[in-house]
Amino acid sequence: MKVCVLGSGRGSNCQAILQASLNKQLGLAQIVGVFSDVKEAGILQVAQSYGIENQFLDPGNSRSKIDEKNEATWIEILLRHQPDLIVLAGFMRIVSTSFIHAFDGRIINIHPSILPSFKGLKAIEQAWDHKVKISGCTVHWVSEGIDSGAIIAQAPVRIMNGDSLTKLTQKIQAAEHMLLPWVISDLSTGAIPFMQ
Ligand code: GRF
């Protein structure tokens, strides 16, 4: 199963995936490329350090999406890698309907809350502000709505007295680093089915 990873940030989830692959814990999945909309993003350096092809792709001028004229290039470059799965690992742009269709809906995203609670940006802060006692992370299929595609897997995190927002962030990210490679592995072996 060929996998492309897209991200905008430091790339700790990508690192967890690549390390799992190195440890032979990624089932039949093979990471064939890592792409970012941010030129200096840590995720590209992470990929580089694992010897994985990586590339900045220009998103255009929009702040929240990929510009229509740039999107065709993104799709073309990604399709060249013939991905069976696209993983959004901290990718901070909303993908369009045509982008989703170009990959036959085979796109997953990791979100740092137990969906459907706390969709959108600053999910960990949202959970913290609501003083919930359990949060966590979710891997879901990417559909047209924001953070609203079918849920694949979730990992809970307890918020203990004395935890800080920083501590909660660390706990959720540690949960992400376990959940995401596990889901990719299970998708690759068929233990988790692809969406119908
Ligand atoms: C993760 O917490 C992910 O859930 C959110 O952005 C963060 C990305 O972190 N969407 P990293 O770039 O993988 O370190």
Side-chain angles (χ1 to χ4, degrees):
M1 184 180 78
K2 291 186 184 171
V3 182
C4 288
V5 181
L6 271 58
S8 311
R10 70 191 172 115
S12 66
N13 277 287
C14 185
Q15 175 154 16
I17 295 166
L18 294 174
Q19 190 56 45
S21 174
L22 209 59
N23 297 345
K24 310 237 174 293
Q25 291 169 336
L26 211 56
L28 303 171
Q30 183 200 358
I31 311 304
V32 294
V34 173
F35 303 88
S36 183
D37 58 320
V38 178
K39 222 177 226 162
E40 306 300 330
I43 192 170
L44 295 177
Q45 284 150 35
V46 166
Q48 187 68 29
S49 71
Y50 280 82
I52 301 294
E53 184 186 330
N54 60 91
Q55 197 176 341
F56 160 72
L57 297 176
D58 185 358
N61 294 323
S62 166
R63 283 184 137 215
S64 57
K65 299 178 182 170
I66 303 166
D67 277 359
E68 227 170 279
K69 63 175 171 33
N70 296 50
E71 190 181 71
T73 312
W74 279 64
I75 292 173
E76 190 194 313
I77 291 173
L78 289 167
L79 281 176
R80 247 184 250 157
H81 291 78
Q82 300 181 309
D84 301 298
L85 181 73
I86 301 225
V87 177
L88 305 186
F91 187 62
M92 301 308 285
R93 287 174 191 271
I94 299 160
V95 293
S96 74
T97 306
S98 44
F99 189 95
I100 294 169
H101 286 164
F103 302 101
D104 201 17
R106 292 171 163 240
I107 309 175
I108 62 172
N109 180 48
I110 178 107
H111 182 76
S113 77
I114 298 290
L115 289 172
S117 291
F118 311 129
K119 294 179 178 177
L121 294 173
K122 296 195 181 292
I124 302 176
E125 285 87 339
Q126 290 184 52
W128 179 256
D129 290 345
H130 276 81
K131 301 189 176 10
V132 295
K133 297 302 168 208
I134 297 176
S135 190
C137 56
T138 302
V139 179
H140 64 93
W141 294 108
V142 172
S143 64
E144 275 133 56
I146 294 174
D147 301 326
S148 53
I151 291 169
I152 302 171
Q154 298 180 303
V157 162
R158 286 186 67 192
I159 298 154
M160 312 299 280
N161 290 338
D163 277 357
S164 59
L165 175 58
T166 307
K167 178 78 183 170
L168 175 60
T169 303
Q170 287 166 354
K171 283 159 75 167
I172 290 180
Q173 284 174 350
E176 290 185 330
H177 300 162
M178 288 176 50
L179 188 68
L180 189 52
W182 173 70
V183 168
I184 295 169
S185 173
D186 274 7
L187 282 167
S188 79
T189 60
I192 295 177
F194 273 81
M195 234 181 357
Q196 296 305 309

